[in-house]
Amino acid sequence: MSGIWLVSHIALWVLFLVIAIVLVSILRNLGVLAEALQALQHSGGGASIKLQSGAGVPDLPLQTLQGATIRTSAFAGKATAFVIISPHCRPCHDLLRHVTASASAADPLDLGVQQTVIVSTGARDETQALLLQHGVGDDRIVMIDSDSRVAQEWGITATPTMVIVDRVGKLIRQSAGFVAPPARTPESVAHT
């Protein structure tokens, strides 16, 4: 091989080696991703909470917007949805829009919920700005958990997360994330 052919031959082999390294790296990362997805499936379907259905939810102190301390057990006696949000989470904004638009102060997607407690992981001023932005009224129960005790004790790893408990504080249902229901148009109402 002479001059230019030798250089092009070496360049092709270098390119082949680079592509091979990139492919091996991609395959390795896909393997890690597959293992993580399997672990999520075996740990309860991808929920972001460590509590088991039917188990009692740990009683924790939370702060009101006015600074008073109220324990989560104070909401016993009614089926309660604890909606854990973060002011910097876009799906949390969507969920707040849904909560604000619902006719009942107990809605969070209804499931027999009698009251809803919004728990913000943000600071008081961030939370108040978020509530003001979405028109959340004084009829909503809003608590602050800026030191993330709920996340630590309940094992929450993502926001928004809804934790629904029965009248005695036992976990009924949990869900992570929120996708806004489709808007009802006059055509869709006519078909129902």
Side-chain angles (χ1 to χ4, degrees):
M1 288 194 185
S2 64
I4 189 98
W5 291 109
L6 182 60
V7 170
S8 68
H9 187 70
I10 292 172
L12 283 175
W13 274 105
V14 168
L15 181 63
F16 174 75
L17 288 174
V18 168
I19 290 173
I21 291 170
V22 168
L23 284 175
V24 167
S25 175
I26 289 172
L27 290 175
R28 181 177 176 274
N29 287 334
L30 285 175
V32 171
L33 180 62
E35 288 174 10
L37 289 174
Q38 285 177 343
L40 278 176
Q41 283 180 330
H42 296 304
S43 69
S48 71
I49 187 168
K50 69 180 179 183
L51 301 173
Q52 297 297 316
S53 192
V57 176
D59 185 24
L60 299 171
L62 298 171
Q63 300 291 316
T64 65
L65 287 173
Q66 294 74 29
T69 300
I70 297 179
R71 299 193 68 82
T72 54
S73 60
F75 302 106
K78 292 183 179 179
T80 304
F82 290 95
V83 179
I84 296 91
I85 62 165
S86 170
H88 305 291
C89 154
R90 182 55 46 198
C92 296
H93 288 243
D94 295 339
L95 180 56
L96 278 179
R97 273 193 290 280
H98 173 79
V99 168
T100 302
S102 69
S104 165
D107 175 13
L109 307 178
D110 202 356
L111 304 174
V113 170
Q114 296 170 303
Q115 67 183 346
T116 297
V117 178
I118 299 169
V119 180
S120 174
T121 60
R124 184 170 283 110
D125 58 337
E126 289 177 317
T127 301
Q128 287 176 325
L130 178 66
L131 298 174
L132 184 62
Q133 176 185 355
H134 294 291
V136 177
D138 293 337
D139 60 332
R140 308 296 175 163
I141 303 169
V142 180
M143 306 300 289
I144 306 294
D145 182 36
S146 56
D147 57 353
S148 299
R149 290 190 68 185
V150 169
Q152 292 168 3
E153 295 291 326
W154 293 3
I156 293 169
T157 59
T159 56
T161 294
M162 281 195 299
V163 177
I164 300 174
V165 298
D166 64 13
R167 295 180 322 173
V168 294
K170 292 191 178 189
L171 181 68
I172 297 173
R173 186 174 177 146
Q174 59 193 354
S175 66
F178 178 74
V179 176
R184 295 186 72 164
T185 62
E187 295 83 24
S188 68
V189 172
H191 288 50
T192 57

